[in-house]
Amino acid sequence: MYPESQQDRQKRKRGRPRKYDEEFRRAALERVKAGQDVVTLARELGVNHTQIYRWRNEALGRPVPRPDSQLQEKGDERQRRRIADLERLVARQALELDFFKGALLRIEGNRRKQGQNSGKPSTSKSGTLTGSKVD
């Protein structure tokens, strides 16, 4: 067989992660259980330290979240926060709308009262002054 070139090694690194047999995993977990630092062990074995934690969680029967599910959960949480923000915005705008409707009703009521008491109002309904000329 030909010696492995640097290009072949890089192709292998970019490919799918290697599958490790049960004996390799068990030996790594025994070393972790004996107190060896996970990051140092991972470096020595040529695996990512998160892989060792995944193996440990699997061995302990803990659920092992997959990256896709983590991304989905993160996206779902982001959407829930966005919905809550929008609901707060709608509530605030509804309060403001009610306030301004009430203010407008009071202003119109005051205008009607003034119209009954005096002759001509100083402003029209649109808010422009009556009787003034624009130059």
Side-chain angles (χ1 to χ4, degrees):
M1 187 160 160
Y2 300 108
E4 187 177 39
S5 69
Q6 184 178 3
Q7 188 178 14
D8 290 337
R9 273 180 270 156
Q10 286 190 354
K11 279 183 186 177
R12 188 183 55 179
K13 282 183 183 179
R14 278 188 251 136
R16 295 184 70 187
R18 292 183 288 177
K19 299 288 182 182
Y20 301 99
D21 63 3
E22 281 299 315
E23 181 60 31
F24 181 84
R25 292 178 182 196
R26 191 180 57 68
L29 292 176
E30 287 297 322
R31 290 173 68 180
V32 170
K33 197 182 278 186
Q36 188 168 356
D37 179 54
V38 173
V39 175
T40 306
L41 176 63
R43 217 176 278 135
E44 181 183 321
L45 296 176
V47 299
N48 192 310
H49 69 279
T50 58
Q51 185 65 51
I52 294 176
Y53 287 118
R54 232 179 261 125
W55 294 340
R56 184 197 63 191
N57 289 340
E58 287 174 358
L60 294 173
R62 295 179 186 161
V64 180
R66 295 288 169 216
D68 290 344
S69 65
Q70 288 174 340
L71 289 176
Q72 180 66 36
E73 289 172 13
K74 210 178 233 186
D76 290 348
E77 179 58 32
R78 196 175 306 125
Q79 287 176 344
R80 281 191 287 275
R81 280 196 310 265
R82 178 73 175 141
I83 289 169
D85 289 344
L86 292 172
E87 286 174 341
R88 281 191 293 275
L89 177 64
V90 167
R92 189 178 70 226
Q93 288 177 338
L95 286 172
E96 290 174 357
L97 185 60
D98 287 344
F99 170 80
F100 286 117
K101 280 183 180 178
L104 183 60
L105 288 174
R106 283 190 298 276
I107 290 171
E108 288 176 346
N110 287 341
R111 282 188 179 164
R112 280 190 213 110
K113 287 180 189 174
Q114 285 178 354
Q116 292 170 355
N117 295 339
S118 63
K120 192 173 179 184
S122 61
T123 59
S124 69
K125 266 192 158 182
S126 66
T128 58
L129 291 175
T130 58
S132 64
K133 293 184 181 177
V134 178
D135 292 319

